[in-house]
Amino acid sequence: MDGNFQEEVLKLVKQIPKGKLMTYGEIAKELTGSVRAARAVGQAVAANPYPIVVPCHRVVRSDGDIGGYSSGVEKKIRLLSAEGVEIKGRKVLNFEQTLFLFDFKK
DNA sequence: CCCATGACTAATT
DNA sequence: AAATTAGCCATGG
């Protein structure tokens, strides 16, 4: 396995600060330069070998939906709630505000 | 190389 | 605002 793509994805996800969120699309944009690889990003974190070490629960959809989670959406919601992220049903409240934009400037 | 799959998105209905 | 549709991309068989 190459795993290079997934490796890059995990690297970025690991930098998401607690209480903040990141979308699959933004990660894809940082990696491939386009939001179109968002789906591939999802596939990458889906195979996340290090739950907790890599806070993949802080990655959500671009439309504010919490998206999915290997261990179940409920688990994801609970983890986020514990970090101070308010969730209503499947949607994130104050989405735009809770979102973490890469600081990495380049 | 071709085909199916999915933790996605944007546009349309 | 919720449901559908079509498009895109990295994997794995």
Side-chain angles (χ1 to χ4, degrees):
Chain A
M1 342 185 241
D2 246 9
N4 218 18
F5 181 76
Q6 175 182 34
E7 193 179 313
E8 292 298 309
V9 173
L10 298 183
K11 197 177 298 180
L12 289 180
V13 175
K14 267 191 290 190
Q15 316 188 38
I16 305 176
K18 172 186 168 197
K20 288 284 189 172
L21 303 175
M22 173 66 63
T23 70
Y24 298 93
E26 282 300 312
I27 294 176
K29 210 183 283 187
E30 230 357 84
L31 254 51
T32 68
S34 174
V35 61
R36 301 175 200 179
R39 217 169 188 178
V41 172
Q43 287 286 42
V45 290
N48 175 17
Y50 316 101
I52 307 304
V53 179
V54 177
C56 40
H57 57 275
R58 297 184 187 143
V59 186
V60 299
R61 284 205 179 205
S62 61
D63 57 353
D65 194 285
I66 55 136
Y69 198 61
S70 303
S71 310
V73 178
E74 293 304 318
K75 177 80 175 184
K76 184 170 183 176
I77 294 176
R78 198 164 52 159
L79 286 170
L80 289 176
S81 299
E83 297 187 350
V85 179
E86 296 186 69
I87 311 273
K88 172 75 170 183
R90 272 219 172 91
K91 294 278 186 173
V92 178
L93 303 185
N94 312 317
F95 179 55
E96 299 287 323
Q97 298 172 44
T98 313
L99 242 188
F100 164 70
L101 290 329
F102 285 111
D103 287 353
F104 309 64
K105 298 247 185 110
K106 31 172 160 173

